[in-house]
Amino acid sequence: MKTTRRTTILLALVLLALPLAAFAASPSDAGTRWLHVRVVDRSDDGESVRVNLPLDLIASILPEIDIEPHIKDGRVTLAPEQGVQLGDLRAVWAQLRQAADGEYVRVEAGDGNVVVRKAGTLLEIDVQDGPEGAEKVRVRAPLAVLDALFSAPEGEIDLAAAITALAEAGIEDLVQVEDGESSVRIWIDDRPEAP
Amino acid sequence: MPRPRVTLAAVLVATLLLTAGGVVVLAAAEVWRAGTFVLSVRDEGPNGARVAVVVPGIVATLAAVAIPFMLPDEAAARIRPAAPAMRALASELAGLPDAVYVAVEAPGERVLIASRGGVLVIEVDDGPDHVRLAIPLHAARRVLRSVAFAAQRTR
Protein backbone atom coordinates (compact mmCIF):
# COMPACT_ATOMS: atom_id res chain seq x y z
CA MET A 1 0.00 0.00 0.00
CA LYS A 2 2.87 2.35 0.91
CA THR A 3 4.59 1.59 -2.40
CA THR A 4 1.39 2.29 -4.38
CA ARG A 5 0.97 5.67 -2.68
CA ARG A 6 4.60 6.61 -3.31
CA THR A 7 4.29 5.60 -6.97
CA THR A 8 1.10 7.65 -7.30
CA ILE A 9 2.72 10.74 -5.78
CA LEU A 10 5.77 10.32 -8.01
CA LEU A 11 3.55 9.91 -11.09
CA ALA A 12 1.58 12.97 -9.98
CA LEU A 13 4.75 15.05 -9.69
CA VAL A 14 5.94 13.93 -13.14
CA LEU A 15 2.56 14.76 -14.68
CA LEU A 16 2.59 18.20 -13.06
CA ALA A 17 6.16 18.89 -14.13
CA LEU A 18 5.67 17.94 -17.80
CA PRO A 19 3.60 20.92 -18.98
CA LEU A 20 5.67 23.31 -16.87
CA ALA A 21 8.89 21.99 -18.41
CA ALA A 22 7.43 22.24 -21.91
CA PHE A 23 6.42 25.88 -21.41
CA ALA A 24 9.68 26.81 -19.73
CA ALA A 25 11.93 25.39 -22.48
CA SER A 26 13.71 28.07 -24.50
CA PRO A 27 16.53 28.07 -27.06
CA SER A 28 20.01 28.87 -25.78
CA ASP A 29 22.85 30.60 -27.61
CA ALA A 30 25.54 29.36 -25.23
CA GLY A 31 28.78 28.48 -26.98
CA THR A 32 28.06 30.45 -30.14
CA ARG A 33 31.20 31.75 -31.84
CA TRP A 34 31.00 35.16 -33.49
CA LEU A 35 32.92 36.42 -36.47
CA HIS A 36 33.73 40.13 -36.12
CA VAL A 37 35.00 42.49 -38.80
CA ARG A 38 36.06 46.07 -38.04
CA VAL A 39 37.15 48.53 -40.69
CA VAL A 40 38.08 52.02 -39.49
CA ASP A 41 39.09 54.80 -41.84
CA ARG A 42 40.47 57.71 -39.80
CA SER A 43 40.58 60.21 -42.66
CA ASP A 44 38.26 63.28 -42.57
CA ASP A 45 35.51 61.65 -44.61
CA GLY A 46 36.42 58.19 -43.43
CA GLU A 47 33.83 55.60 -42.61
CA SER A 48 33.72 52.74 -40.17
CA VAL A 49 32.23 49.31 -40.75
CA ARG A 50 31.34 46.80 -38.06
CA VAL A 51 30.07 43.34 -38.94
CA ASN A 52 29.26 40.77 -36.25
CA LEU A 53 27.80 37.43 -37.33
CA PRO A 54 27.38 34.11 -35.50
CA LEU A 55 29.46 31.44 -37.26
CA ASP A 56 26.51 29.04 -36.85
CA LEU A 57 24.36 31.39 -38.91
CA ILE A 58 26.97 31.63 -41.68
CA ALA A 59 27.52 27.84 -41.63
CA SER A 60 23.76 27.20 -41.92
CA ILE A 61 23.10 29.62 -44.76
CA LEU A 62 26.24 29.20 -46.90
CA PRO A 63 25.42 25.67 -48.16
CA GLU A 64 21.97 26.89 -49.21
CA ILE A 65 23.21 29.76 -51.38
CA ASP A 66 23.01 28.87 -55.04
CA ILE A 67 24.49 31.43 -57.43
CA GLU A 68 25.35 29.44 -60.53
CA PRO A 69 28.10 29.06 -61.60
CA HIS A 70 30.01 30.78 -58.78
CA ILE A 71 28.63 29.50 -55.45
CA LYS A 72 26.90 26.19 -54.79
CA ASP A 73 26.73 23.85 -51.76
CA GLY A 74 28.96 26.21 -49.78
CA ARG A 75 31.73 25.94 -52.38
CA VAL A 76 33.08 28.79 -54.48
CA THR A 77 34.27 28.12 -58.02
CA LEU A 78 37.37 30.07 -59.01
CA ALA A 79 38.14 29.93 -62.72
CA PRO A 80 41.77 30.49 -63.91
CA GLU A 81 40.59 33.46 -65.98
CA GLN A 82 39.70 35.17 -62.68
CA GLY A 83 43.43 35.35 -62.01
CA VAL A 84 43.58 32.65 -59.34
CA GLN A 85 45.60 29.53 -60.13
CA LEU A 86 43.88 27.32 -57.58
CA GLY A 87 45.76 24.21 -58.70
CA ASP A 88 49.11 25.84 -57.92
CA LEU A 89 47.87 27.12 -54.56
CA ARG A 90 46.56 23.68 -53.65
CA ALA A 91 49.91 22.07 -54.58
CA VAL A 92 51.86 24.60 -52.50
CA TRP A 93 49.50 24.05 -49.59
CA ALA A 94 49.87 20.24 -49.83
CA GLN A 95 53.66 20.59 -49.61
CA LEU A 96 53.54 23.13 -46.79
CA ARG A 97 51.05 21.02 -44.82
CA GLN A 98 53.46 18.09 -44.78
CA ALA A 99 56.46 20.23 -43.85
CA ALA A 100 57.79 20.77 -40.34
CA ASP A 101 57.25 23.99 -38.39
CA GLY A 102 59.52 26.81 -39.46
CA GLU A 103 60.01 29.94 -41.49
CA TYR A 104 59.36 29.31 -45.18
CA VAL A 105 59.49 32.74 -46.74
CA ARG A 106 61.44 35.80 -45.69
CA VAL A 107 61.73 38.74 -48.04
CA GLU A 108 63.58 41.83 -46.84
CA ALA A 109 63.76 44.66 -49.31
CA GLY A 110 64.16 48.40 -48.71
CA ASP A 111 61.72 49.45 -46.04
CA GLY A 112 59.52 46.37 -46.22
CA ASN A 113 59.64 42.72 -45.34
CA VAL A 114 57.45 39.62 -45.63
CA VAL A 115 57.60 36.56 -43.40
CA VAL A 116 55.59 33.35 -43.84
CA ARG A 117 55.96 30.68 -41.20
CA LYS A 118 54.25 27.53 -40.02
CA ALA A 119 53.94 27.37 -36.24
CA GLY A 120 51.97 24.59 -34.55
CA THR A 121 48.39 24.76 -35.73
CA LEU A 122 48.80 28.11 -37.48
CA LEU A 123 50.09 29.53 -40.72
CA GLU A 124 51.45 32.98 -39.86
CA ILE A 125 51.97 35.76 -42.38
CA ASP A 126 53.53 39.08 -41.35
CA VAL A 127 54.06 41.94 -43.76
CA GLN A 128 55.63 45.31 -42.93
CA ASP A 129 55.96 48.07 -45.45
CA GLY A 130 56.52 51.81 -45.65
CA PRO A 131 58.72 54.10 -43.54
CA GLU A 132 59.35 52.56 -40.11
CA GLY A 133 57.01 49.73 -41.05
CA ALA A 134 53.93 51.96 -40.88
CA GLU A 135 51.88 49.53 -42.94
CA LYS A 136 51.45 46.22 -41.23
CA VAL A 137 49.54 43.06 -42.13
CA ARG A 138 49.26 40.20 -39.67
CA VAL A 139 47.43 37.00 -40.64
CA ARG A 140 46.96 33.97 -38.40
CA ALA A 141 45.25 31.16 -40.34
CA PRO A 142 44.51 27.86 -38.56
CA LEU A 143 45.84 24.94 -40.63
CA ALA A 144 42.52 23.09 -40.16
CA VAL A 145 40.71 25.98 -41.82
CA LEU A 146 43.04 25.91 -44.82
CA ASP A 147 42.67 22.11 -44.99
CA ALA A 148 38.90 22.55 -45.10
CA LEU A 149 39.14 25.34 -47.67
CA PHE A 150 41.21 23.19 -50.04
CA SER A 151 39.14 20.04 -49.43
CA ALA A 152 36.82 20.96 -52.31
CA PRO A 153 37.12 19.37 -55.77
CA GLU A 154 39.54 20.90 -58.31
CA GLY A 155 38.73 24.48 -59.23
CA GLU A 156 36.73 25.13 -56.05
CA ILE A 157 37.26 26.14 -52.44
CA ASP A 158 34.95 24.90 -49.69
CA LEU A 159 33.91 28.01 -47.81
CA ALA A 160 31.26 26.24 -45.72
CA ALA A 161 33.76 23.64 -44.49
CA ALA A 162 36.23 26.42 -43.70
CA ILE A 163 33.63 28.28 -41.61
CA THR A 164 32.83 25.08 -39.70
CA ALA A 165 36.56 24.52 -39.07
CA LEU A 166 36.91 28.15 -37.99
CA ALA A 167 34.16 27.70 -35.39
CA GLU A 168 36.09 24.79 -33.92
CA ALA A 169 39.49 26.49 -34.01
CA GLY A 170 40.64 27.87 -30.69
CA ILE A 171 41.87 31.14 -32.14
CA GLU A 172 40.77 34.75 -31.77
CA ASP A 173 42.70 37.11 -34.04
CA LEU A 174 42.71 36.19 -37.72
CA VAL A 175 43.64 39.31 -39.66
CA GLN A 176 44.99 42.72 -38.64
CA VAL A 177 45.85 45.41 -41.16
CA GLU A 178 47.16 48.84 -40.15
CA ASP A 179 48.30 51.51 -42.57
CA GLY A 180 48.36 54.62 -40.42
CA GLU A 181 45.11 56.10 -41.71
CA SER A 182 42.96 53.00 -41.66
CA SER A 183 42.78 49.66 -39.94
CA VAL A 184 41.08 46.32 -40.49
CA ARG A 185 40.61 43.65 -37.88
CA ILE A 186 38.92 40.25 -38.29
CA TRP A 187 38.57 38.05 -35.24
CA ILE A 188 36.44 35.43 -33.52
CA ASP A 189 35.15 35.27 -29.97
CA ASP A 190 32.14 34.18 -27.94
CA ARG A 191 30.65 37.65 -27.51
CA PRO A 192 28.07 39.46 -29.65
CA GLU A 193 28.31 43.24 -29.83
CA ALA A 194 25.62 44.65 -27.57
CA PRO A 195 23.04 46.83 -29.39
CA MET B 1 -12.68 5.04 -3.85
CA PRO B 2 -9.21 4.20 -2.45
CA ARG B 3 -7.09 7.30 -1.63
CA PRO B 4 -4.34 6.71 -4.26
CA ARG B 5 -7.00 6.73 -7.02
CA VAL B 6 -8.49 9.95 -5.68
CA THR B 7 -5.04 11.54 -5.62
CA LEU B 8 -4.30 10.37 -9.17
CA ALA B 9 -7.66 11.64 -10.42
CA ALA B 10 -7.06 15.01 -8.77
CA VAL B 11 -3.62 15.24 -10.29
CA LEU B 12 -4.96 14.30 -13.73
CA VAL B 13 -7.57 17.07 -13.48
CA ALA B 14 -4.89 19.51 -12.31
CA THR B 15 -2.63 18.49 -15.19
CA LEU B 16 -5.45 18.95 -17.71
CA LEU B 17 -6.23 22.37 -16.25
CA LEU B 18 -2.56 23.36 -16.32
CA THR B 19 -2.21 22.21 -19.93
CA ALA B 20 -5.38 24.03 -20.99
CA GLY B 21 -4.24 27.12 -19.12
CA GLY B 22 -0.84 26.81 -20.76
CA VAL B 23 -2.42 26.69 -24.21
CA VAL B 24 -4.38 29.87 -23.46
CA VAL B 25 -1.24 31.54 -22.11
CA LEU B 26 0.71 30.42 -25.21
CA ALA B 27 -1.97 31.83 -27.50
CA ALA B 28 -1.84 35.14 -25.66
CA ALA B 29 1.96 35.02 -25.72
CA GLU B 30 1.86 34.43 -29.48
CA VAL B 31 -0.12 37.63 -30.01
CA TRP B 32 2.23 39.49 -27.68
CA ARG B 33 5.33 37.88 -29.22
CA ALA B 34 4.26 38.84 -32.71
CA GLY B 35 4.79 42.41 -31.54
CA THR B 36 4.34 45.27 -33.97
CA PHE B 37 5.89 46.26 -37.26
CA VAL B 38 7.11 49.82 -37.26
CA LEU B 39 8.13 51.71 -40.37
CA SER B 40 9.15 55.32 -39.93
CA VAL B 41 10.37 57.56 -42.75
CA ARG B 42 11.46 61.12 -41.98
CA ASP B 43 12.78 63.71 -44.39
CA GLU B 44 14.34 66.73 -42.67
CA GLY B 45 14.79 68.63 -45.95
CA PRO B 46 13.03 71.96 -46.75
CA ASN B 47 9.89 70.11 -47.89
CA GLY B 48 10.41 67.38 -45.37
CA ALA B 49 7.72 64.94 -44.45
CA ARG B 50 7.27 62.28 -41.86
CA VAL B 51 5.46 58.97 -42.30
CA ALA B 52 5.09 56.36 -39.58
CA VAL B 53 3.24 53.07 -39.98
CA VAL B 54 2.59 50.71 -37.08
CA VAL B 55 1.05 47.31 -37.86
CA PRO B 56 0.36 44.53 -35.33
CA GLY B 57 2.76 41.65 -35.95
CA ILE B 58 -0.08 39.15 -35.86
CA VAL B 59 -1.09 40.58 -39.26
CA ALA B 60 2.19 39.17 -40.61
CA THR B 61 1.30 35.75 -39.23
CA LEU B 62 -2.01 35.91 -41.09
CA ALA B 63 -0.28 37.26 -44.20
CA ALA B 64 2.20 34.37 -44.03
CA VAL B 65 -0.71 31.95 -44.42
CA ALA B 66 -1.96 33.83 -47.48
CA ILE B 67 1.41 34.30 -49.23
CA PRO B 68 1.49 30.85 -50.94
CA PHE B 69 -1.88 31.63 -52.58
CA MET B 70 -1.01 35.23 -53.50
CA LEU B 71 2.57 35.12 -54.76
CA PRO B 72 2.55 35.49 -58.57
CA ASP B 73 4.26 32.71 -60.57
CA GLU B 74 6.80 35.15 -62.00
CA ALA B 75 7.84 36.37 -58.56
CA ALA B 76 7.97 32.78 -57.28
CA ALA B 77 10.31 31.82 -60.14
CA ARG B 78 12.63 34.73 -59.34
CA ILE B 79 12.75 33.96 -55.63
CA ARG B 80 13.09 30.17 -56.11
CA PRO B 81 16.96 30.04 -56.20
CA ALA B 82 17.09 31.90 -52.88
CA ALA B 83 14.36 29.80 -51.21
CA PRO B 84 16.69 27.26 -49.48
CA ALA B 85 18.81 30.11 -48.07
CA MET B 86 15.64 31.91 -46.92
CA ARG B 87 14.46 28.75 -45.18
CA ALA B 88 17.86 28.33 -43.47
CA LEU B 89 17.83 31.98 -42.41
CA ALA B 90 14.29 31.59 -41.06
CA SER B 91 15.43 28.66 -38.91
CA GLU B 92 18.26 30.74 -37.46
CA LEU B 93 16.28 33.95 -36.93
CA ALA B 94 14.44 32.77 -33.83
CA GLY B 95 17.66 32.07 -31.96
CA LEU B 96 19.38 35.36 -32.75
CA PRO B 97 20.51 37.13 -29.57
CA ASP B 98 20.38 40.88 -29.11
CA ALA B 99 23.37 42.25 -31.00
CA VAL B 100 24.58 44.67 -33.63
CA TYR B 101 25.01 42.68 -36.85
CA VAL B 102 26.06 45.36 -39.31
CA ALA B 103 26.91 48.99 -38.63
CA VAL B 104 28.31 51.37 -41.22
CA GLU B 105 29.04 54.96 -40.24
CA ALA B 106 30.34 57.81 -42.35
CA PRO B 107 29.88 61.59 -42.10
CA GLY B 108 26.16 62.17 -42.70
CA GLU B 109 25.44 58.50 -43.32
CA ARG B 110 24.63 55.58 -41.10
CA VAL B 111 23.29 52.05 -41.57
CA LEU B 112 22.48 49.77 -38.67
CA ILE B 113 21.12 46.23 -38.63
CA ALA B 114 20.61 44.91 -35.11
CA SER B 115 18.39 42.76 -32.97
CA ARG B 116 16.85 44.22 -29.82
CA GLY B 117 14.48 42.29 -27.60
CA GLY B 118 13.42 39.87 -30.35
CA VAL B 119 12.94 42.66 -32.89
CA LEU B 120 15.08 43.08 -36.00
CA VAL B 121 15.88 46.76 -36.32
CA ILE B 122 17.07 48.35 -39.56
CA GLU B 123 18.01 52.04 -39.46
CA VAL B 124 19.28 54.05 -42.40
CA ASP B 125 20.28 57.71 -42.14
CA ASP B 126 21.36 59.36 -45.35
CA GLY B 127 21.71 63.12 -44.99
CA PRO B 128 18.26 64.49 -44.21
CA ASP B 129 16.52 61.16 -44.84
CA HIS B 130 15.94 58.78 -41.96
CA VAL B 131 14.32 55.36 -42.28
CA ARG B 132 13.55 53.10 -39.31
CA LEU B 133 12.16 49.61 -39.69
CA ALA B 134 11.38 47.29 -36.79
CA ILE B 135 10.30 43.72 -37.55
CA PRO B 136 9.54 41.16 -34.82
CA LEU B 137 11.87 38.20 -35.46
CA HIS B 138 9.12 35.61 -35.05
CA ALA B 139 6.95 37.35 -37.61
CA ALA B 140 9.88 37.77 -40.00
CA ARG B 141 10.64 34.07 -39.61
CA ARG B 142 7.07 33.09 -40.52
CA VAL B 143 6.99 35.36 -43.55
CA LEU B 144 10.39 34.10 -44.78
CA ARG B 145 9.31 30.47 -44.45
CA SER B 146 6.06 31.15 -46.19
CA VAL B 147 7.72 32.99 -49.09
CA ALA B 148 10.28 30.17 -49.45
CA PHE B 149 7.48 27.60 -49.49
CA ALA B 150 5.52 29.60 -52.05
CA ALA B 151 8.60 30.03 -54.26
CA GLN B 152 9.35 26.32 -54.29
CA ARG B 153 5.82 25.14 -54.95
CA THR B 154 4.96 23.86 -58.41
CA ARG B 155 1.65 24.66 -59.99
Side-chain angles (χ1 to χ4, degrees):
Chain A
M1 186 65 187
K2 239 179 183 179
T3 313
T4 314
R5 184 172 293 175
R6 198 175 293 161
T7 310
T8 306
I9 291 168
L10 198 65
L11 186 62
L13 285 173
V14 170
L15 280 169
L16 277 170
L18 271 175
L20 291 175
F23 299 141
S26 65
S28 163
D29 56 63
T32 301
R33 302 276 281 162
W34 288 73
L35 178 71
H36 304 275
V37 180
R38 290 283 181 282
V39 181
V40 179
D41 181 350
R42 287 181 284 270
S43 62
D44 289 343
D45 56 349
E47 62 178 27
S48 72
V49 178
R50 285 140 54 207
V51 177
N52 312 286
L53 292 172
L55 284 171
D56 291 350
L57 177 72
I58 304 172
S60 301
I61 294 172
L62 257 181
E64 307 299 341
I65 294 175
D66 183 358
I67 306 173
E68 287 284 3
H70 306 295
I71 304 175
K72 191 168 173 58
D73 298 330
R75 296 197 292 263
V76 179
T77 303
L78 296 170
E81 56 268 25
Q82 288 174 294
V84 181
Q85 300 297 327
L86 209 50
D88 294 347
L89 271 179
R90 201 186 299 271
V92 170
W93 172 244
Q95 292 296 319
L96 197 60
R97 191 69 174 95
Q98 299 301 320
D101 283 4
E103 194 173 285
Y104 286 91
V105 178
R106 175 172 283 273
V107 180
E108 292 183 348
D111 51 9
N113 59 61
V114 178
V115 178
V116 179
R117 73 177 77 81
K118 189 180 165 199
T121 59
L122 297 177
L123 181 72
E124 302 178 350
I125 302 171
D126 290 298
V127 181
Q128 281 198 330
D129 198 12
E132 297 173 9
E135 294 169 19
K136 292 176 191 165
V137 178
R138 182 181 184 271
V139 179
R140 296 292 177 268
L143 304 184
V145 173
L146 294 167
D147 280 340
L149 203 62
F150 289 119
S151 66
E154 197 55 50
E156 297 177 347
I157 52 171
D158 196 333
L159 216 50
I163 291 293
T164 304
L166 203 52
E168 292 163 2
I171 185 173
E172 290 218 339
D173 274 308
L174 298 170
V175 177
Q176 281 179 286
V177 180
E178 184 70 52
D179 77 348
E181 203 166 60
S182 61
S183 65
V184 178
R185 186 181 172 216
I186 303 174
W187 79 100
I188 296 171
D189 63 27
D190 299 329
R191 295 175 296 278
E193 183 189 338
Chain B
M1 193 185 268
R3 271 186 76 185
R5 284 195 189 169
V6 173
T7 310
L8 188 58
V11 165
L12 277 172
V13 169
T15 306
L16 280 173
L17 284 173
L18 255 178
T19 309
V23 169
V24 171
V25 169
L26 275 182
E30 183 57 34
V31 174
W32 172 79
R33 195 169 60 168
T36 49
F37 280 90
V38 178
L39 171 63
S40 160
V41 181
R42 186 160 46 98
D43 180 358
E44 289 177 347
N47 302 313
R50 180 172 187 158
V51 178
V53 180
V54 180
V55 181
I58 199 76
V59 172
T61 305
L62 299 174
V65 176
I67 285 170
F69 305 102
M70 293 167 60
L71 196 68
D73 284 349
E74 193 186 339
R78 283 189 182 181
I79 297 169
R80 197 164 296 135
M86 289 170 77
R87 188 168 286 135
L89 179 62
S91 300
E92 296 290 327
L93 271 184
L96 285 183
D98 285 2
V100 172
Y101 293 96
V102 178
V104 180
E105 287 172 35
E109 293 170 30
R110 179 173 161 271
V111 176
L112 175 76
I113 301 175
S115 169
R116 291 177 193 144
V119 176
L120 184 68
V121 177
I122 300 172
E123 298 178 355
V124 180
D125 296 331
D126 185 3
D129 303 326
H130 306 277
V131 178
R132 302 272 180 282
L133 183 62
I135 313 164
L137 284 173
H138 283 278
R141 186 184 178 199
R142 289 228 167 91
V143 171
L144 267 178
R145 275 199 175 147
S146 188
V147 171
F149 172 76
Q152 287 187 311
R153 81 193 189 283
T154 50
R155 279 189 179 170

Short mmCIF file of all heavy atoms in Angstrom, two decimals, chain A residues 41-47, chain B residues 106-107:
data_model
loop_
_atom_site.label_atom_id
_atom_site.label_comp_id
_atom_site.label_asym_id
_atom_site.label_seq_id
_atom_site.Cartn_x
_atom_site.Cartn_y
_atom_site.Cartn_z
N ASP A 41 38.34 53.86 -40.99
CA ASP A 41 39.09 54.80 -41.84
C ASP A 41 39.15 56.12 -41.07
O ASP A 41 38.12 56.75 -40.84
CB ASP A 41 38.35 54.96 -43.17
CG ASP A 41 39.07 55.91 -44.11
OD1 ASP A 41 40.02 56.58 -43.66
OD2 ASP A 41 38.68 55.99 -45.29
N ARG A 42 40.35 56.53 -40.67
CA ARG A 42 40.47 57.71 -39.80
C ARG A 42 40.65 59.02 -40.58
O ARG A 42 40.93 60.05 -39.99
CB ARG A 42 41.63 57.51 -38.82
CG ARG A 42 41.31 56.50 -37.73
CD ARG A 42 42.46 56.34 -36.75
NE ARG A 42 43.54 55.54 -37.33
CZ ARG A 42 43.61 54.21 -37.22
NH1 ARG A 42 42.68 53.55 -36.55
NH2 ARG A 42 44.60 53.54 -37.79
N SER A 43 40.48 58.98 -41.88
CA SER A 43 40.58 60.21 -42.66
C SER A 43 39.34 61.08 -42.39
O SER A 43 38.38 60.62 -41.77
CB SER A 43 40.68 59.89 -44.16
OG SER A 43 39.52 59.22 -44.58
N ASP A 44 39.35 62.34 -42.87
CA ASP A 44 38.26 63.28 -42.57
C ASP A 44 36.89 62.74 -42.97
O ASP A 44 35.93 62.88 -42.23
CB ASP A 44 38.52 64.63 -43.27
CG ASP A 44 39.68 65.36 -42.61
OD1 ASP A 44 40.00 64.98 -41.47
OD2 ASP A 44 40.25 66.27 -43.23
N ASP A 45 36.80 62.19 -44.18
CA ASP A 45 35.51 61.65 -44.61
C ASP A 45 35.49 60.13 -44.49
O ASP A 45 34.77 59.44 -45.20
CB ASP A 45 35.19 62.09 -46.05
CG ASP A 45 36.30 61.68 -47.01
OD1 ASP A 45 37.36 61.24 -46.52
OD2 ASP A 45 36.09 61.76 -48.24
N GLY A 46 36.30 59.64 -43.58
CA GLY A 46 36.42 58.19 -43.43
C GLY A 46 35.15 57.57 -42.86
O GLY A 46 34.35 58.23 -42.22
N GLU A 47 34.99 56.30 -43.14
CA GLU A 47 33.83 55.60 -42.61
C GLU A 47 34.29 54.39 -41.80
O GLU A 47 35.42 53.93 -41.93
CB GLU A 47 32.90 55.15 -43.74
CG GLU A 47 33.52 54.18 -44.72
CD GLU A 47 32.52 53.73 -45.77
OE1 GLU A 47 31.59 54.48 -46.05
OE2 GLU A 47 32.69 52.63 -46.31
N ALA B 106 29.52 56.86 -41.61
CA ALA B 106 30.34 57.81 -42.35
C ALA B 106 29.71 59.18 -42.10
O ALA B 106 28.55 59.24 -41.67
CB ALA B 106 30.34 57.46 -43.83
N PRO B 107 30.47 60.26 -42.34
CA PRO B 107 29.88 61.59 -42.10
C PRO B 107 28.55 61.74 -42.85
O PRO B 107 28.50 61.63 -44.07
CB PRO B 107 30.95 62.54 -42.65
CG PRO B 107 32.23 61.78 -42.53
CD PRO B 107 31.87 60.36 -42.78
#
